Amino acid sequence: MPQPFSLDEKFALIDEYWQPRVVGELNGQQVKLARLLGEFVWHHHEAEDELFLVHRGRLRMEFRDRVVELGPGEMIIVPRGVEHRPVAEEMVEVVLFEPASTRNTGQHLNERTVEARPL
């Protein structure tokens, strides 16, 4: 049977930055939680859209032509093919909704590339 869970309790189990953790799946999509701090790499996703929902903190989503600032309870959907870079000046907690096939660094393979693990 489905069980409810607390985002605060789940985020408390995460002690690494930029390491998405899977907390659920639905219709081929994964629900991931991640703590972010600092700048990520510029990247895009060829075939997947991404949804970022800020739970705690402030997230700056940089695009090549503009910057979007997000606070708690705000979200942004980054369409496939759009180059972006998430930046967290201070620790941010985000909920991500994306296809299970989504690589965190998009088209790039580098030292920041990780597989999302279950929490």
Side-chain angles (χ1 to χ4, degrees):
M1 291 297 299
Q3 296 295 317
F5 60 87
S6 161
L7 287 176
D8 288 332
E9 289 175 8
K10 293 292 186 182
F11 275 114
L13 300 173
I14 300 173
D15 58 3
E16 301 169 302
Y17 298 113
W18 304 106
Q19 305 285 320
R21 304 299 294 271
V22 178
V23 293
E25 293 194 34
L26 64 157
N27 302 317
Q29 300 280 315
Q30 288 184 329
V31 179
K32 301 174 186 176
L33 304 182
R35 283 191 167 174
L36 315 179
L37 181 62
E39 297 177 347
F40 202 57
V41 296
W42 282 101
H43 67 285
H44 71 277
H45 303 275
E46 293 287 337
E48 302 98 357
D49 303 323
E50 282 186 294
L51 183 147
F52 291 80
L53 170 62
V54 176
H55 174 65
R56 183 174 286 121
R58 296 200 59 78
L59 178 66
R60 186 171 75 234
M61 187 64 70
E62 296 182 347
F63 300 96
R64 292 297 184 181
D65 63 343
R66 66 189 174 107
V67 173
V68 176
E69 299 278 344
L70 301 165
E74 296 181 315
M75 66 183 204
I76 190 167
I77 298 170
V78 179
R80 66 193 73 185
V82 174
E83 194 171 28
H84 60 286
R85 177 173 74 163
V87 178
E89 297 294 331
E90 296 181 4
M91 192 273 297
V92 176
E93 294 175 344
V94 296
V95 180
L96 305 164
F97 292 89
E98 54 195 17
S101 62
T102 303
R103 181 185 308 139
N104 70 322
T105 54
Q107 77 284 13
H108 300 294
L109 285 173
N110 57 41
E111 68 281 353
R112 304 289 299 267
T113 304
V114 297
E115 293 289 322
R117 304 183 321 263
L119 185 60

